[in-house]
Amino acid sequence: APLSFRKAEADQVEASIVVYEDSIPPFAELALVQLYGSIYSSLAHFRSVDDVKEVNTYVAKVDGVIKAVLLFRFHQSGVKVVNEAIAISEEEIGRFAEYIFARYRRVTSITFPSVISDVGGLLRPCQKFNLSEDIVLALPATVDEYRSGFGKSTRSFLNRYLNRLKREIPDFCFQIRTGEQIEESQIREIIRLNTERMAKKAKQSGNDERTVRRLMRLLKEAGTIGTITIGGRIAAGVINTQVGDHYFMDIIGHDSAYDDYRLGTLCCYMTVCDCIERGGREFHFMWGRYDYKFRLQGKQRDLDQITIYRSFFGVLRNPSLVLKNALRRRMRLASLWINDPAHQERRIVRTLFRLRGMMQSLAR
């Protein structure tokens, strides 16, 4: 990851800053939702994975208005921000970094693991590289408006497969479940379909019992499951968690026996339509540059990792972190190359997929 060292004028509005050490103040839950609208920056998510211990809370206010709420942990001589998949300005990143470095003299590095930010003028050395992406659909006011945004080919694609499904499998049923309507068996079935689908592509699923427990906790608070059933059993499903008016696609799966009907895409499309009717603001397809996400009008937002060092001497004191970031950047570039559809048919790529799956299994 290229190491940049830029000096710029610190042109920031004066802010009032408070740090709550080893605690999260009660007002932070709503503030996190309002500021970032990200499931991976919500207390609901942290509670679902039992990740609220030893967390410190940084709060910055300007003229009495909360501008940033960042949860962070200390790790040896570094600080790691817990909030992920958030959009945050360079100004707020710089303000946080300067405050942390000034207050905690032992800290030599600060890492934002997954943010959307145009960082280019920080006062200190930093490493920034693309780590993932979120494919996001800004939801219109009505389903009709959403449909009108499709091109001719996509509109024809959806109509053709939906009409074929109605004609050839008339007992199919699409249903949305929320809260107490959601059953553990439904989550498990969608995960099973997803796992089998990935296995056929020589990919390893990371979903396990912890995933089931996490989703059950989250979905009881807020979220939906959209399913297509055929003959009374789930043939396709989409699991969405929710933060405010933002919906996040967590897992999608469909039975390969119905590949010819494009059940996965249809189920996702109908789930998006339901989110529009519920007054949703954005639908997050999350990471993975799959064609169906862009076909359904998703737009890519890059998620970057940013590591800021106290000084050039701070860089020298963290050689393992510098090298680790450089390696992760190379692995990310390699992953993008492997997953490029233009390379999918190469034997070496299929072999790499299998090796990656084996390494992930060994790591777990």
Short mmCIF file of all heavy atoms in Angstrom, two decimals, residues 115-165:
data_model
loop_
_atom_site.label_atom_id
_atom_site.label_comp_id
_atom_site.label_asym_id
_atom_site.label_seq_id
_atom_site.Cartn_x
_atom_site.Cartn_y
_atom_site.Cartn_z
N VAL A 115 -13.84 2.31 5.25
CA VAL A 115 -14.54 3.59 5.17
C VAL A 115 -14.64 4.07 3.73
O VAL A 115 -13.87 3.68 2.86
CB VAL A 115 -13.82 4.69 6.00
CG1 VAL A 115 -13.83 4.34 7.48
CG2 VAL A 115 -12.40 4.92 5.51
N ILE A 116 -15.62 4.94 3.53
CA ILE A 116 -15.75 5.66 2.26
C ILE A 116 -15.27 7.08 2.54
O ILE A 116 -15.92 7.83 3.26
CB ILE A 116 -17.21 5.68 1.77
CG1 ILE A 116 -17.74 4.26 1.61
CG2 ILE A 116 -17.34 6.46 0.46
CD1 ILE A 116 -19.25 4.19 1.42
N SER A 117 -14.12 7.45 2.00
CA SER A 117 -13.57 8.76 2.30
C SER A 117 -12.55 9.16 1.25
O SER A 117 -11.76 8.33 0.79
CB SER A 117 -12.90 8.77 3.68
OG SER A 117 -12.49 10.07 4.02
N ASP A 118 -12.57 10.42 0.88
CA ASP A 118 -11.62 10.96 -0.09
C ASP A 118 -10.49 11.63 0.69
O ASP A 118 -10.49 12.84 0.89
CB ASP A 118 -12.30 11.95 -1.02
CG ASP A 118 -11.38 12.44 -2.12
OD1 ASP A 118 -10.35 11.79 -2.34
OD2 ASP A 118 -11.68 13.48 -2.74
N VAL A 119 -9.53 10.82 1.13
CA VAL A 119 -8.43 11.34 1.94
C VAL A 119 -7.27 11.72 1.03
O VAL A 119 -6.78 10.91 0.25
CB VAL A 119 -7.97 10.28 2.97
CG1 VAL A 119 -6.71 10.73 3.67
CG2 VAL A 119 -9.08 10.02 3.98
N GLY A 120 -6.83 12.95 1.15
CA GLY A 120 -5.72 13.39 0.31
C GLY A 120 -4.86 14.46 0.93
O GLY A 120 -3.81 14.80 0.40
N GLY A 121 -5.26 15.01 2.07
CA GLY A 121 -4.51 16.11 2.65
C GLY A 121 -4.27 15.99 4.14
O GLY A 121 -4.24 16.99 4.85
N LEU A 122 -4.10 14.76 4.63
CA LEU A 122 -3.84 14.59 6.06
C LEU A 122 -2.46 15.13 6.42
O LEU A 122 -1.56 15.18 5.59
CB LEU A 122 -3.94 13.11 6.44
CG LEU A 122 -5.33 12.48 6.33
CD1 LEU A 122 -5.26 10.99 6.66
CD2 LEU A 122 -6.32 13.17 7.26
N LEU A 123 -2.31 15.51 7.68
CA LEU A 123 -1.06 16.10 8.14
C LEU A 123 0.03 15.06 8.39
O LEU A 123 1.18 15.42 8.58
CB LEU A 123 -1.31 16.88 9.44
CG LEU A 123 -2.22 18.11 9.32
CD1 LEU A 123 -2.61 18.60 10.69
CD2 LEU A 123 -1.51 19.21 8.55
N ARG A 124 -0.33 13.79 8.42
CA ARG A 124 0.61 12.75 8.83
C ARG A 124 0.74 11.66 7.77
O ARG A 124 -0.10 11.56 6.88
CB ARG A 124 0.16 12.15 10.17
CG ARG A 124 0.08 13.20 11.29
CD ARG A 124 -0.47 12.59 12.56
NE ARG A 124 -0.69 13.60 13.59
CZ ARG A 124 0.22 13.98 14.47
NH1 ARG A 124 1.43 13.43 14.46
NH2 ARG A 124 -0.06 14.90 15.38
N PRO A 125 1.78 10.83 7.86
CA PRO A 125 1.93 9.72 6.91
C PRO A 125 0.75 8.77 7.01
O PRO A 125 0.23 8.51 8.10
CB PRO A 125 3.22 9.02 7.38
CG PRO A 125 3.92 10.00 8.24
CD PRO A 125 2.86 10.86 8.86
N CYS A 126 0.32 8.26 5.88
CA CYS A 126 -0.80 7.31 5.91
C CYS A 126 -0.69 6.32 4.77
O CYS A 126 -0.05 6.57 3.75
CB CYS A 126 -2.14 8.05 5.86
SG CYS A 126 -2.55 8.74 4.25
N GLN A 127 -1.33 5.19 4.96
CA GLN A 127 -1.50 4.18 3.92
C GLN A 127 -3.00 4.04 3.65
O GLN A 127 -3.79 3.93 4.59
CB GLN A 127 -0.96 2.82 4.37
CG GLN A 127 0.56 2.69 4.33
CD GLN A 127 1.00 1.34 4.86
OE1 GLN A 127 0.84 1.04 6.03
NE2 GLN A 127 1.56 0.52 3.98
N LYS A 128 -3.36 4.04 2.41
CA LYS A 128 -4.75 3.87 2.02
C LYS A 128 -4.82 2.91 0.85
O LYS A 128 -4.06 3.04 -0.11
CB LYS A 128 -5.38 5.21 1.63
CG LYS A 128 -6.80 5.10 1.09
CD LYS A 128 -7.31 6.45 0.61
CE LYS A 128 -8.69 6.32 -0.02
NZ LYS A 128 -9.18 7.61 -0.55
N PHE A 129 -5.71 1.92 0.93
CA PHE A 129 -5.89 1.01 -0.18
C PHE A 129 -7.31 0.47 -0.18
O PHE A 129 -7.97 0.42 0.86
CB PHE A 129 -4.88 -0.15 -0.13
CG PHE A 129 -4.99 -1.02 1.10
CD1 PHE A 129 -5.73 -2.19 1.09
CD2 PHE A 129 -4.34 -0.66 2.28
CE1 PHE A 129 -5.83 -2.99 2.22
CE2 PHE A 129 -4.42 -1.45 3.41
CZ PHE A 129 -5.17 -2.62 3.38
N ASN A 130 -7.77 0.08 -1.35
CA ASN A 130 -9.12 -0.45 -1.48
C ASN A 130 -9.20 -1.85 -0.88
O ASN A 130 -8.39 -2.72 -1.17
CB ASN A 130 -9.54 -0.50 -2.95
CG ASN A 130 -10.89 -1.16 -3.16
OD1 ASN A 130 -10.99 -2.21 -3.74
ND2 ASN A 130 -11.93 -0.54 -2.64
N LEU A 131 -10.19 -2.04 -0.01
CA LEU A 131 -10.35 -3.31 0.69
C LEU A 131 -11.58 -4.07 0.21
O LEU A 131 -11.60 -5.30 0.17
CB LEU A 131 -10.45 -3.07 2.19
CG LEU A 131 -10.41 -4.28 3.10
CD1 LEU A 131 -9.03 -4.94 3.03
CD2 LEU A 131 -10.71 -3.90 4.54
N SER A 132 -12.63 -3.35 -0.16
CA SER A 132 -13.87 -3.98 -0.59
C SER A 132 -14.72 -2.93 -1.27
O SER A 132 -14.23 -1.88 -1.68
CB SER A 132 -14.60 -4.59 0.62
OG SER A 132 -15.72 -5.35 0.19
N GLU A 133 -16.01 -3.23 -1.41
CA GLU A 133 -16.94 -2.28 -1.99
C GLU A 133 -18.34 -2.55 -1.46
O GLU A 133 -18.63 -3.63 -0.95
CB GLU A 133 -16.95 -2.35 -3.53
CG GLU A 133 -17.46 -3.67 -4.10
CD GLU A 133 -16.41 -4.75 -4.08
OE1 GLU A 133 -15.27 -4.46 -4.45
OE2 GLU A 133 -16.72 -5.89 -3.67
N ASP A 134 -19.16 -1.53 -1.55
CA ASP A 134 -20.59 -1.67 -1.24
C ASP A 134 -21.33 -1.23 -2.49
O ASP A 134 -21.14 -0.11 -2.96
CB ASP A 134 -20.96 -0.79 -0.04
CG ASP A 134 -22.43 -0.93 0.35
OD1 ASP A 134 -23.12 -1.80 -0.20
OD2 ASP A 134 -22.88 -0.14 1.21
N ILE A 135 -22.14 -2.14 -3.03
CA ILE A 135 -22.95 -1.80 -4.20
C ILE A 135 -24.29 -1.29 -3.67
O ILE A 135 -25.03 -2.04 -3.03
CB ILE A 135 -23.17 -3.03 -5.12
CG1 ILE A 135 -21.83 -3.75 -5.37
CG2 ILE A 135 -23.81 -2.60 -6.42
CD1 ILE A 135 -20.76 -2.92 -6.00
N VAL A 136 -24.58 -0.02 -3.91
CA VAL A 136 -25.70 0.65 -3.26
C VAL A 136 -26.73 1.14 -4.27
O VAL A 136 -26.39 1.70 -5.31
CB VAL A 136 -25.21 1.85 -2.43
CG1 VAL A 136 -26.37 2.49 -1.67
CG2 VAL A 136 -24.12 1.43 -1.47
N LEU A 137 -27.99 0.92 -3.93
CA LEU A 137 -29.10 1.44 -4.73
C LEU A 137 -29.83 2.51 -3.92
O LEU A 137 -30.34 2.22 -2.83
CB LEU A 137 -30.07 0.30 -5.08
CG LEU A 137 -31.45 0.70 -5.62
CD1 LEU A 137 -31.31 1.43 -6.95
CD2 LEU A 137 -32.35 -0.53 -5.78
N ALA A 138 -29.84 3.73 -4.43
CA ALA A 138 -30.62 4.80 -3.80
C ALA A 138 -32.08 4.56 -4.18
O ALA A 138 -32.44 4.63 -5.36
CB ALA A 138 -30.15 6.16 -4.29
N LEU A 139 -32.91 4.25 -3.20
CA LEU A 139 -34.28 3.83 -3.49
C LEU A 139 -35.17 5.02 -3.85
O LEU A 139 -35.21 6.03 -3.12
CB LEU A 139 -34.87 3.10 -2.27
CG LEU A 139 -34.17 1.80 -1.88
CD1 LEU A 139 -34.76 1.24 -0.59
CD2 LEU A 139 -34.26 0.77 -3.00
N PRO A 140 -35.91 4.91 -4.95
CA PRO A 140 -36.86 5.98 -5.32
C PRO A 140 -38.10 5.93 -4.44
O PRO A 140 -38.24 5.05 -3.59
CB PRO A 140 -37.19 5.65 -6.77
CG PRO A 140 -37.00 4.16 -6.87
CD PRO A 140 -35.88 3.83 -5.93
N ALA A 141 -39.00 6.85 -4.67
CA ALA A 141 -40.19 6.95 -3.82
C ALA A 141 -41.20 5.84 -4.09
O ALA A 141 -41.93 5.42 -3.18
CB ALA A 141 -40.85 8.31 -4.01
N THR A 142 -41.26 5.35 -5.33
CA THR A 142 -42.26 4.33 -5.68
C THR A 142 -41.63 3.21 -6.50
O THR A 142 -40.58 3.40 -7.13
CB THR A 142 -43.41 4.95 -6.50
OG1 THR A 142 -42.90 5.38 -7.77
CG2 THR A 142 -44.04 6.13 -5.77
N VAL A 143 -42.30 2.07 -6.51
CA VAL A 143 -41.83 0.94 -7.32
C VAL A 143 -41.90 1.28 -8.79
O VAL A 143 -41.02 0.91 -9.58
CB VAL A 143 -42.67 -0.32 -7.00
CG1 VAL A 143 -42.32 -1.45 -7.97
CG2 VAL A 143 -42.43 -0.77 -5.55
N ASP A 144 -42.94 2.01 -9.21
CA ASP A 144 -43.06 2.40 -10.61
C ASP A 144 -41.87 3.25 -11.05
O ASP A 144 -41.35 3.10 -12.16
CB ASP A 144 -44.36 3.16 -10.85
CG ASP A 144 -45.59 2.26 -10.82
OD1 ASP A 144 -45.41 1.03 -10.99
OD2 ASP A 144 -46.71 2.76 -10.61
N GLU A 145 -41.44 4.14 -10.18
CA GLU A 145 -40.28 4.98 -10.49
C GLU A 145 -39.02 4.12 -10.60
O GLU A 145 -38.15 4.37 -11.45
CB GLU A 145 -40.11 6.05 -9.41
CG GLU A 145 -39.03 7.08 -9.71
CD GLU A 145 -38.91 8.13 -8.63
OE1 GLU A 145 -39.82 8.24 -7.78
OE2 GLU A 145 -37.87 8.84 -8.63
N TYR A 146 -38.91 3.12 -9.73
CA TYR A 146 -37.77 2.20 -9.79
C TYR A 146 -37.76 1.45 -11.11
O TYR A 146 -36.73 1.37 -11.79
CB TYR A 146 -37.85 1.23 -8.61
CG TYR A 146 -36.79 0.15 -8.61
CD1 TYR A 146 -35.44 0.45 -8.79
CD2 TYR A 146 -37.15 -1.19 -8.41
CE1 TYR A 146 -34.48 -0.55 -8.77
CE2 TYR A 146 -36.18 -2.19 -8.37
CZ TYR A 146 -34.85 -1.87 -8.57
OH TYR A 146 -33.90 -2.86 -8.56
N ARG A 147 -38.90 0.92 -11.50
CA ARG A 147 -38.99 0.16 -12.75
C ARG A 147 -38.67 1.03 -13.96
O ARG A 147 -38.07 0.57 -14.94
CB ARG A 147 -40.39 -0.44 -12.89
CG ARG A 147 -40.65 -1.59 -11.91
CD ARG A 147 -42.10 -2.01 -11.96
NE ARG A 147 -42.36 -3.13 -11.06
CZ ARG A 147 -43.56 -3.45 -10.59
NH1 ARG A 147 -44.61 -2.71 -10.91
NH2 ARG A 147 -43.70 -4.48 -9.79
N SER A 148 -39.08 2.28 -13.90
CA SER A 148 -38.83 3.17 -15.04
C SER A 148 -37.34 3.47 -15.22
O SER A 148 -36.92 3.93 -16.29
CB SER A 148 -39.60 4.49 -14.86
OG SER A 148 -39.07 5.24 -13.77
N GLY A 149 -36.54 3.20 -14.20
CA GLY A 149 -35.11 3.45 -14.29
C GLY A 149 -34.35 2.33 -14.99
O GLY A 149 -33.16 2.49 -15.30
N PHE A 150 -35.01 1.21 -15.27
CA PHE A 150 -34.34 0.11 -15.96
C PHE A 150 -34.22 0.40 -17.45
O PHE A 150 -35.10 1.03 -18.06
CB PHE A 150 -35.13 -1.20 -15.79
CG PHE A 150 -35.05 -1.78 -14.40
CD1 PHE A 150 -36.20 -1.99 -13.66
CD2 PHE A 150 -33.83 -2.11 -13.84
CE1 PHE A 150 -36.14 -2.53 -12.38
CE2 PHE A 150 -33.76 -2.65 -12.57
CZ PHE A 150 -34.91 -2.85 -11.84
N GLY A 151 -33.14 -0.10 -18.03
CA GLY A 151 -33.00 -0.04 -19.47
C GLY A 151 -33.91 -1.07 -20.13
O GLY A 151 -34.49 -1.93 -19.46
N LYS A 152 -34.01 -1.00 -21.42
CA LYS A 152 -34.91 -1.88 -22.16
C LYS A 152 -34.56 -3.35 -21.95
O LYS A 152 -35.45 -4.19 -21.74
CB LYS A 152 -34.85 -1.54 -23.65
CG LYS A 152 -35.81 -2.37 -24.50
CD LYS A 152 -35.74 -1.94 -25.95
CE LYS A 152 -36.69 -2.77 -26.82
NZ LYS A 152 -36.61 -2.36 -28.25
N SER A 153 -33.26 -3.69 -21.96
CA SER A 153 -32.86 -5.10 -21.86
C SER A 153 -33.16 -5.66 -20.47
O SER A 153 -33.62 -6.80 -20.33
CB SER A 153 -31.36 -5.24 -22.16
OG SER A 153 -30.59 -4.52 -21.23
N THR A 154 -32.93 -4.86 -19.41
CA THR A 154 -33.20 -5.34 -18.06
C THR A 154 -34.69 -5.48 -17.81
O THR A 154 -35.14 -6.45 -17.19
CB THR A 154 -32.59 -4.37 -17.01
OG1 THR A 154 -31.18 -4.30 -17.20
CG2 THR A 154 -32.88 -4.85 -15.59
N ARG A 155 -35.46 -4.52 -18.30
CA ARG A 155 -36.91 -4.60 -18.14
C ARG A 155 -37.44 -5.86 -18.84
O ARG A 155 -38.29 -6.58 -18.31
CB ARG A 155 -37.57 -3.35 -18.72
CG ARG A 155 -39.05 -3.20 -18.32
CD ARG A 155 -39.65 -1.92 -18.88
NE ARG A 155 -38.97 -0.74 -18.35
CZ ARG A 155 -38.24 0.09 -19.09
NH1 ARG A 155 -38.09 -0.13 -20.37
NH2 ARG A 155 -37.66 1.13 -18.53
N SER A 156 -36.91 -6.13 -20.04
CA SER A 156 -37.32 -7.32 -20.78
C SER A 156 -36.89 -8.59 -20.04
O SER A 156 -37.65 -9.57 -19.96
CB SER A 156 -36.68 -7.30 -22.17
OG SER A 156 -36.94 -8.49 -22.87
N PHE A 157 -35.67 -8.57 -19.45
CA PHE A 157 -35.15 -9.72 -18.69
C PHE A 157 -36.06 -10.05 -17.52
O PHE A 157 -36.46 -11.21 -17.33
CB PHE A 157 -33.74 -9.36 -18.20
CG PHE A 157 -33.14 -10.36 -17.24
CD1 PHE A 157 -32.34 -11.39 -17.69
CD2 PHE A 157 -33.36 -10.25 -15.86
CE1 PHE A 157 -31.78 -12.30 -16.80
CE2 PHE A 157 -32.81 -11.15 -14.98
CZ PHE A 157 -32.02 -12.18 -15.45
N LEU A 158 -36.43 -9.05 -16.72
CA LEU A 158 -37.26 -9.28 -15.54
C LEU A 158 -38.65 -9.76 -15.93
O LEU A 158 -39.19 -10.70 -15.34
CB LEU A 158 -37.36 -8.00 -14.72
CG LEU A 158 -36.05 -7.57 -14.02
CD1 LEU A 158 -36.21 -6.18 -13.42
CD2 LEU A 158 -35.64 -8.57 -12.95
N ASN A 159 -39.24 -9.11 -16.93
CA ASN A 159 -40.59 -9.51 -17.36
C ASN A 159 -40.60 -10.92 -17.92
O ASN A 159 -41.52 -11.70 -17.65
CB ASN A 159 -41.11 -8.53 -18.41
CG ASN A 159 -41.43 -7.17 -17.82
OD1 ASN A 159 -41.71 -7.05 -16.63
ND2 ASN A 159 -41.40 -6.13 -18.64
N ARG A 160 -39.58 -11.25 -18.71
CA ARG A 160 -39.54 -12.56 -19.37
C ARG A 160 -39.46 -13.68 -18.33
O ARG A 160 -40.24 -14.65 -18.39
CB ARG A 160 -38.33 -12.63 -20.32
CG ARG A 160 -38.22 -13.98 -21.04
CD ARG A 160 -37.18 -13.93 -22.14
NE ARG A 160 -35.82 -13.82 -21.64
CZ ARG A 160 -35.09 -12.71 -21.64
NH1 ARG A 160 -35.60 -11.58 -22.13
NH2 ARG A 160 -33.85 -12.69 -21.18
N TYR A 161 -38.55 -13.56 -17.37
CA TYR A 161 -38.38 -14.65 -16.40
C TYR A 161 -39.50 -14.68 -15.37
O TYR A 161 -39.89 -15.75 -14.90
CB TYR A 161 -37.01 -14.53 -15.72
CG TYR A 161 -35.89 -14.98 -16.63
CD1 TYR A 161 -35.05 -14.06 -17.24
CD2 TYR A 161 -35.69 -16.33 -16.89
CE1 TYR A 161 -34.04 -14.47 -18.09
CE2 TYR A 161 -34.68 -16.75 -17.73
CZ TYR A 161 -33.86 -15.83 -18.33
OH TYR A 161 -32.86 -16.25 -19.18
N LEU A 162 -40.04 -13.52 -15.02
CA LEU A 162 -41.16 -13.51 -14.07
C LEU A 162 -42.40 -14.12 -14.70
O LEU A 162 -43.12 -14.92 -14.07
CB LEU A 162 -41.44 -12.07 -13.61
CG LEU A 162 -42.44 -11.91 -12.47
CD1 LEU A 162 -42.00 -12.72 -11.25
CD2 LEU A 162 -42.58 -10.44 -12.09
N ASN A 163 -42.66 -13.79 -15.95
CA ASN A 163 -43.82 -14.36 -16.65
C ASN A 163 -43.65 -15.86 -16.86
O ASN A 163 -44.61 -16.63 -16.75
CB ASN A 163 -44.02 -13.67 -18.00
CG ASN A 163 -44.52 -12.24 -17.85
OD1 ASN A 163 -45.17 -11.90 -16.86
ND2 ASN A 163 -44.23 -11.39 -18.82
N ARG A 164 -42.42 -16.29 -17.16
CA ARG A 164 -42.17 -17.72 -17.34
C ARG A 164 -42.40 -18.46 -16.03
O ARG A 164 -42.98 -19.56 -16.01
CB ARG A 164 -40.74 -17.93 -17.83
CG ARG A 164 -40.41 -19.39 -18.07
CD ARG A 164 -38.97 -19.58 -18.48
NE ARG A 164 -38.64 -20.98 -18.62
CZ ARG A 164 -37.41 -21.44 -18.85
NH1 ARG A 164 -36.41 -20.60 -18.97
NH2 ARG A 164 -37.20 -22.74 -18.96
N LEU A 165 -41.95 -17.86 -14.93
CA LEU A 165 -42.14 -18.49 -13.63
C LEU A 165 -43.62 -18.63 -13.31
O LEU A 165 -44.08 -19.69 -12.85
CB LEU A 165 -41.44 -17.64 -12.56
CG LEU A 165 -41.45 -18.19 -11.13
CD1 LEU A 165 -40.71 -19.52 -11.03
CD2 LEU A 165 -40.82 -17.17 -10.16
#
